[in-house]
Amino acid sequence: MTRPDAVTKSSSDVSAMFDEIPHRYDLMNDVLTVGITRLWRIATVRAVAPRKGMRILDLAAGTGTSSAALAEQGAHVVAADFSNGMLDEGRKRQAGNTRIEFVWADATELPFEDNSFDAATISFGLRNVDRPQVALAEMLRVTKPGGRVVICEFSTPAAAIRAPYTWYSRQVLPRVAGLVTGSKQAYEYLNETIEQWPDQPTLARWMREAGFERVAYRNLTAGIAALHRGFVPAKAAAAPAHEEQASAKPEAKPAAAKKSAKPAAAKSVPAKQAEKKPAAKAPAKPAAKPTAKPAAKPAAQPATKAKDNG
């Protein structure tokens, strides 16, 4: 088996590694975490809050275990992964489940249109992406405005358990994994990616830099894993309001022009009176009557517009 480099994380090498371990991958995770992964999955599903009618992207879905948990709530789930071996195993396990659709996808270049999903999630897969910040931007792009993105990933444990956890992950985890799956190298690689992965505040900052709002996280099992959440800005909802405000401004200008026209007419009357006093007295009375009627009409027009706006 080709062992991927934990720094470069070549997508072809990483996907080839996962192609060789799909059959016992979920079992191995349960064994190595003493079943705690099941609790993490429940926490992730609750954070995503799937509902009937929702379309959810489950990125790095693997064999579809997390996708099935989301689909149980009535949502349609697109289980995306870049390992064909994992996808094939998932299709076998979830055969007949019409709420799950398995799709090959690169997390840094998702084959989906903008605003395609009501929510998106990724569990223990973001650290295997060579450009995780690009993957975050892609998840934001394909999620609808106002939708949430949930990330469950290994993280930095609390100081009290950091030393024993590091010893276990370095010494015990690869050996047990090698006995069960026959792929000790794969779990050595996965452990290295865990140690090199940034801490909770750093991932939260990456999400904010990608454009997510209301970013928050909470630790799972003393920080061995962490659950991050962010929302896609509701840009589409704000656009019409801005357009209405912009269109209202030009209407105010003609009203101001009418007001400025009246003082100009008032100035012209004294000018004519200065040239010819007898002629100025005769038109003075008729001029008052026409100006009285137009003044009444503009007063009625703003009242009509106010009703329309209401």
Side-chain angles (χ1 to χ4, degrees), residues 131-269:
R131 294 177 295 165
Q133 288 153 295
V134 175
L136 289 173
E138 279 290 270
M139 294 179 76
L140 180 131
R141 178 183 66 80
V142 301
T143 305
K144 296 178 182 179
R148 69 183 65 191
V149 170
V150 176
I151 302 169
C152 187
E153 186 56 87
F154 288 110
S155 199
T156 303
I161 67 168
R162 198 170 300 165
Y165 173 74
T166 301
W167 175 84
Y168 171 80
S169 61
R170 290 180 181 178
Q171 303 300 325
V172 179
L173 187 150
R175 294 178 183 180
V176 174
L179 292 173
V180 177
T181 66
S183 300
K184 179 182 177 181
Q185 289 181 327
Y187 281 84
E188 287 177 340
Y189 158 79
L190 292 173
N191 180 58
E192 289 180 9
T193 61
I194 293 172
E195 291 185 358
Q196 295 173 8
W197 187 245
D199 59 10
Q200 293 88 324
T202 301
L203 179 53
R205 175 170 56 82
W206 285 0
M207 294 183 70
R208 286 190 290 269
E209 290 173 349
F212 290 99
E213 295 180 340
R214 291 180 284 163
V215 175
Y217 68 85
R218 67 184 181 92
N219 288 333
L220 303 175
T221 318
I224 291 177
L227 199 60
H228 284 70
R229 183 206 66 193
F231 289 86
V232 179
K235 296 179 181 178
H242 291 307
E243 291 176 2
E244 289 178 3
Q245 292 175 1
S247 62
K249 292 180 180 179
E251 293 179 2
K253 291 181 179 179
K258 291 179 180 180
K259 291 180 180 179
S260 61
K262 291 181 180 180
K267 291 179 181 179
S268 62
V269 173

Side-chain angles (χ1 to χ4, degrees), residues 273-298:
Q273 290 176 349
E275 292 174 1
K276 193 175 181 181
K277 292 181 180 180
K281 291 180 181 179
K285 292 181 180 180
K289 292 180 180 179
T291 54
K293 291 181 180 180
K297 290 181 181 179

Side-chain angles (χ1 to χ4, degrees), residues 13-32:
D13 290 344
V14 176
S15 62
M17 179 196 72
F18 280 107
D19 285 344
E20 298 184 19
I21 59 172
H23 308 295
R24 296 189 176 182
Y25 179 74
D26 293 322
L27 172 62
M28 193 67 261
N29 288 338
D30 284 339
V31 170
L32 293 174

